[in-house]
Amino acid sequence: MKDVLAVVLAGGKGSRLEPLTRDRAKPAVPFGGGYRIIDFALSNCLNSGIRKIMVLTQYKAMSLDRHVTLGWRSFLCRELGEYIDVVPPQQRIDEKWYQGTADAVYQNIYTLEKERPEHVLILAGDHIYKMDYAKMVAAHVEKKADLTIGALNVTVEEARSFGVMEVDPENRVRGFVEKSPNPKTVPGQPDTCLASMGIYVFNAPFLFDELCKDATLPDSAHDFGKNIIPSIIDNRRVFAYPFLDENRKSQAYWRDVGTIDAYFEANMELTSVDPPLNMYDRHWPIRTYQPHLPPAKFVFDSEAGERPRRGEALDSIVCPGAILSGGCVNRCVVGPGARVNSYATVEDSILFAGVNVGRNCKIRRTIIDKEVDVPPGLEIGYDLEADRRRGFTVTESGVVVIAKADGIPVG
């Protein structure tokens, strides 16, 4: 893998995750309490033996840059040719922002060519999954492919949001349509489509040639799924690589947490007794930046008065530095340094780092962003119309989101 350069596309706006992406890039959004979304792609790289990584950023990249700097550069030794670099838009070729996924790589082609890789692995930085990229690169080399595409079976409804492939018995790609309203199904499986995961292994010289060709086309969207892949499948060796999950569960795990509801459900799954994503797997560890915080603390256990005053967590994830000071959380993800005060109850919710829940609060099905201070006695998630009047975001499924900048009116 020493001749493989990984390029992580981490510049998307993440508009559907608003307001969580109001002040941060989508890959920098916290997940599972102590992680960021991008940690999964970066951990996959490290676990796969990839030691040269470029993270291409664009929008609101400061927190992402800080996270990678603090949490990831210590794993790699630049003196040995290993690195992870955060690369902001250089505008070396054009003064425009990135126009598409292919354009993001093209605008950094000078930086990539200087590294002289044999293969370039292109990844999205905003999906949750475990995958050994070394196996995919080995399959790419074995088939003497020009391009290999990570492939995942999805439902017809889900396929409308993906690039969908048609393949022959050898998994050679014979058709590719991006986000079709009527995607083609797998032969013999009328409810299933073969979708692109947005994971690509290219022979480096071939990639550079195709990017340069595409850049000269004025009508191109400069996107891998819309332009590059459809233009090469007829005359180049393009193969699909079926997703091999390293999660070691009966069902393969891959999540696109691109909407608030999908993000909420993926986090809530982690609080179950046997979650579909194994975060405690020593075989395929997920790494991140670990701030220096004391252990979580649970205090008070009193039955005196009308209600018990007990600091407790049930079916929940509680991160270091959190204090449950006489309050109760149930089926929650409690971030680093968060605090739940006496007589407060929080259910089916996500508390980001530094959240403070005041006394006697009642909160359910709510995501509360970093450092938000919830005043005592407030009820959130019980009257959705009242939550909307307060200015909070409420999704179609009834999940309430309180952003950092919202502020919380007491009335």
Side-chain angles (χ1 to χ4, degrees), residues 44-68:
N44 288 338
C45 286
L46 214 59
N47 294 336
S48 301
I50 295 171
R51 296 294 183 267
K52 298 177 182 179
I53 307 168
M54 291 184 183
V55 180
L56 306 187
T57 63
Q58 184 165 219
Y59 299 103
K60 304 171 187 174
M62 180 175 288
S63 64
L64 180 60
D65 191 339
R66 182 170 58 243
H67 175 72
V68 172

CSV table of all heavy atoms in Angstrom, one decimal, residues 44-68:
chain,number,residue,atom,x,y,z
A,44,ASN,N,-10.4,3.7,8.5
A,44,ASN,CA,-10.3,2.6,7.5
A,44,ASN,C,-8.9,2.7,6.8
A,44,ASN,O,-8.3,1.7,6.5
A,44,ASN,CB,-11.4,2.8,6.5
A,44,ASN,CG,-12.7,2.4,7.1
A,44,ASN,OD1,-12.8,1.6,8.1
A,44,ASN,ND2,-13.8,2.9,6.5
A,45,CYS,N,-8.5,4.0,6.5
A,45,CYS,CA,-7.2,4.1,5.8
A,45,CYS,C,-6.1,3.6,6.6
A,45,CYS,O,-5.2,2.8,6.2
A,45,CYS,CB,-7.0,5.6,5.5
A,45,CYS,SG,-7.9,6.3,4.2
A,46,LEU,N,-6.0,4.0,7.9
A,46,LEU,CA,-5.0,3.6,8.8
A,46,LEU,C,-5.0,2.1,9.0
A,46,LEU,O,-3.9,1.4,8.9
A,46,LEU,CB,-5.1,4.3,10.1
A,46,LEU,CG,-3.8,4.6,10.9
A,46,LEU,CD1,-3.0,5.6,10.0
A,46,LEU,CD2,-4.2,5.3,12.2
A,47,ASN,N,-6.2,1.5,9.2
A,47,ASN,CA,-6.3,0.0,9.4
A,47,ASN,C,-5.9,-0.8,8.2
A,47,ASN,O,-5.6,-1.9,8.2
A,47,ASN,CB,-7.7,-0.3,9.9
A,47,ASN,CG,-8.0,0.2,11.3
A,47,ASN,OD1,-7.1,0.5,12.1
A,47,ASN,ND2,-9.2,0.4,11.6
A,48,SER,N,-6.1,-0.1,7.0
A,48,SER,CA,-5.8,-0.8,5.7
A,48,SER,C,-4.3,-0.6,5.3
A,48,SER,O,-3.9,-1.1,4.2
A,48,SER,CB,-6.7,-0.1,4.6
A,48,SER,OG,-8.0,-0.3,4.9
A,49,GLY,N,-3.5,0.1,6.1
A,49,GLY,CA,-2.1,0.2,5.8
A,49,GLY,C,-1.8,1.4,4.9
A,49,GLY,O,-0.7,1.5,4.4
A,50,ILE,N,-2.7,2.3,4.7
A,50,ILE,CA,-2.5,3.5,3.9
A,50,ILE,C,-1.9,4.6,4.8
A,50,ILE,O,-2.4,4.9,5.8
A,50,ILE,CB,-3.8,4.0,3.3
A,50,ILE,CG1,-4.3,3.0,2.3
A,50,ILE,CG2,-3.6,5.3,2.6
A,50,ILE,CD1,-5.7,3.3,1.8
A,51,ARG,N,-0.7,5.1,4.3
A,51,ARG,CA,0.0,6.0,5.2
A,51,ARG,C,0.2,7.4,4.5
A,51,ARG,O,0.9,8.2,5.0
A,51,ARG,CB,1.4,5.4,5.5
A,51,ARG,CG,1.3,4.2,6.4
A,51,ARG,CD,0.8,4.5,7.8
A,51,ARG,NE,0.7,3.4,8.7
A,51,ARG,CZ,-0.3,2.6,8.8
A,51,ARG,NH1,-1.4,2.8,8.1
A,51,ARG,NH2,-0.3,1.6,9.7
A,52,LYS,N,-0.5,7.6,3.3
A,52,LYS,CA,-0.4,8.9,2.7
A,52,LYS,C,-1.8,9.3,2.4
A,52,LYS,O,-2.5,8.7,1.6
A,52,LYS,CB,0.4,8.8,1.3
A,52,LYS,CG,1.8,8.4,1.5
A,52,LYS,CD,2.5,8.2,0.2
A,52,LYS,CE,4.0,7.8,0.4
A,52,LYS,NZ,4.7,7.6,-0.9
A,53,ILE,N,-2.3,10.4,3.1
A,53,ILE,CA,-3.7,10.8,3.0
A,53,ILE,C,-3.8,12.3,2.8
A,53,ILE,O,-3.1,13.1,3.6
A,53,ILE,CB,-4.4,10.4,4.3
A,53,ILE,CG1,-4.2,8.9,4.7
A,53,ILE,CG2,-5.9,10.7,4.3
A,53,ILE,CD1,-4.6,8.5,6.1
A,54,MET,N,-4.6,12.7,1.9
A,54,MET,CA,-4.9,14.1,1.7
A,54,MET,C,-6.4,14.3,2.0
A,54,MET,O,-7.2,13.6,1.4
A,54,MET,CB,-4.6,14.6,0.3
A,54,MET,CG,-3.1,14.7,0.0
A,54,MET,SD,-2.8,15.3,-1.6
A,54,MET,CE,-1.0,15.2,-1.7
A,55,VAL,N,-6.8,15.3,2.8
A,55,VAL,CA,-8.1,15.6,3.1
A,55,VAL,C,-8.5,16.9,2.4
A,55,VAL,O,-7.9,18.0,2.8
A,55,VAL,CB,-8.4,15.7,4.6
A,55,VAL,CG1,-9.8,16.1,4.9
A,55,VAL,CG2,-8.0,14.4,5.3
A,56,LEU,N,-9.3,16.9,1.4
A,56,LEU,CA,-9.6,18.1,0.6
A,56,LEU,C,-10.8,18.8,1.3
A,56,LEU,O,-11.9,18.2,1.3
A,56,LEU,CB,-9.9,17.8,-0.9
A,56,LEU,CG,-8.9,17.0,-1.6
A,56,LEU,CD1,-9.3,16.9,-3.1
A,56,LEU,CD2,-7.5,17.6,-1.5
A,57,THR,N,-10.7,20.0,1.7
A,57,THR,CA,-11.7,20.7,2.4
A,57,THR,C,-12.2,21.9,1.5
A,57,THR,O,-11.6,22.2,0.5
A,57,THR,CB,-11.2,21.3,3.8
A,57,THR,OG1,-10.2,22.2,3.5
A,57,THR,CG2,-10.8,20.1,4.7
A,58,GLN,N,-13.3,22.5,2.0
A,58,GLN,CA,-13.8,23.7,1.3
A,58,GLN,C,-14.6,24.6,2.2
A,58,GLN,O,-14.1,25.6,2.6
A,58,GLN,CB,-14.6,23.3,0.1
A,58,GLN,CG,-15.1,24.5,-0.8
A,58,GLN,CD,-15.6,24.1,-2.1
A,58,GLN,OE1,-15.4,24.7,-3.1
A,58,GLN,NE2,-16.3,23.0,-2.2
A,59,TYR,N,-15.8,24.1,2.6
A,59,TYR,CA,-16.7,25.0,3.4
A,59,TYR,C,-16.4,24.8,4.9
A,59,TYR,O,-16.4,23.7,5.4
A,59,TYR,CB,-18.1,24.7,3.1
A,59,TYR,CG,-18.5,24.9,1.7
A,59,TYR,CD1,-18.6,23.9,0.8
A,59,TYR,CD2,-18.7,26.2,1.2
A,59,TYR,CE1,-19.0,24.1,-0.6
A,59,TYR,CE2,-19.1,26.4,-0.1
A,59,TYR,CZ,-19.2,25.4,-1.0
A,59,TYR,OH,-19.5,25.6,-2.3
A,60,LYS,N,-16.3,25.9,5.7
A,60,LYS,CA,-16.3,25.9,7.1
A,60,LYS,C,-15.4,24.8,7.7
A,60,LYS,O,-15.8,23.9,8.5
A,60,LYS,CB,-17.8,25.6,7.7
A,60,LYS,CG,-18.8,26.6,7.1
A,60,LYS,CD,-20.2,26.2,7.5
A,60,LYS,CE,-21.2,27.1,6.8
A,60,LYS,NZ,-22.6,26.7,7.0
A,61,ALA,N,-14.2,24.9,7.3
A,61,ALA,CA,-13.2,23.8,7.5
A,61,ALA,C,-12.4,23.9,8.8
A,61,ALA,O,-11.6,23.0,9.1
A,61,ALA,CB,-12.3,23.7,6.3
A,62,MET,N,-12.6,25.0,9.5
A,62,MET,CA,-11.7,25.2,10.7
A,62,MET,C,-11.8,24.1,11.7
A,62,MET,O,-10.7,23.6,12.1
A,62,MET,CB,-12.0,26.6,11.3
A,62,MET,CG,-11.1,26.9,12.5
A,62,MET,SD,-11.4,28.5,13.3
A,62,MET,CE,-10.6,29.5,12.0
A,63,SER,N,-13.0,23.7,12.1
A,63,SER,CA,-13.0,22.6,13.2
A,63,SER,C,-12.5,21.3,12.6
A,63,SER,O,-11.9,20.5,13.4
A,63,SER,CB,-14.5,22.5,13.7
A,63,SER,OG,-15.4,22.1,12.6
A,64,LEU,N,-12.8,21.0,11.3
A,64,LEU,CA,-12.3,19.8,10.7
A,64,LEU,C,-10.7,19.8,10.7
A,64,LEU,O,-10.1,18.8,11.1
A,64,LEU,CB,-12.8,19.6,9.3
A,64,LEU,CG,-12.4,18.4,8.6
A,64,LEU,CD1,-12.8,17.1,9.3
A,64,LEU,CD2,-13.0,18.4,7.1
A,65,ASP,N,-10.2,20.9,10.3
A,65,ASP,CA,-8.7,21.1,10.3
A,65,ASP,C,-8.1,20.9,11.7
A,65,ASP,O,-7.1,20.1,11.9
A,65,ASP,CB,-8.3,22.5,9.7
A,65,ASP,CG,-6.9,22.6,9.4
A,65,ASP,OD1,-6.1,21.8,9.9
A,65,ASP,OD2,-6.5,23.5,8.6
A,66,ARG,N,-8.7,21.5,12.6
A,66,ARG,CA,-8.3,21.4,14.0
A,66,ARG,C,-8.4,19.9,14.5
A,66,ARG,O,-7.4,19.4,15.2
A,66,ARG,CB,-9.1,22.3,14.9
A,66,ARG,CG,-8.6,22.3,16.4
A,66,ARG,CD,-9.3,23.4,17.2
A,66,ARG,NE,-10.8,23.3,17.1
A,66,ARG,CZ,-11.6,24.2,16.6
A,66,ARG,NH1,-11.1,25.3,16.0
A,66,ARG,NH2,-12.9,24.1,16.6
A,67,HIS,N,-9.4,19.3,14.2
A,67,HIS,CA,-9.6,17.9,14.6
A,67,HIS,C,-8.6,17.0,14.0
A,67,HIS,O,-8.0,16.1,14.7
A,67,HIS,CB,-11.0,17.4,14.2
A,67,HIS,CG,-11.3,15.9,14.5
A,67,HIS,ND1,-11.4,15.5,15.8
A,67,HIS,CD2,-11.3,14.9,13.7
A,67,HIS,CE1,-11.6,14.1,15.7
A,67,HIS,NE2,-11.5,13.8,14.5
A,68,VAL,N,-8.3,17.1,12.7
A,68,VAL,CA,-7.3,16.3,12.1
A,68,VAL,C,-5.9,16.6,12.6
A,68,VAL,O,-5.1,15.7,12.9
A,68,VAL,CB,-7.3,16.5,10.6
A,68,VAL,CG1,-6.1,15.8,9.9
A,68,VAL,CG2,-8.6,15.9,10.0
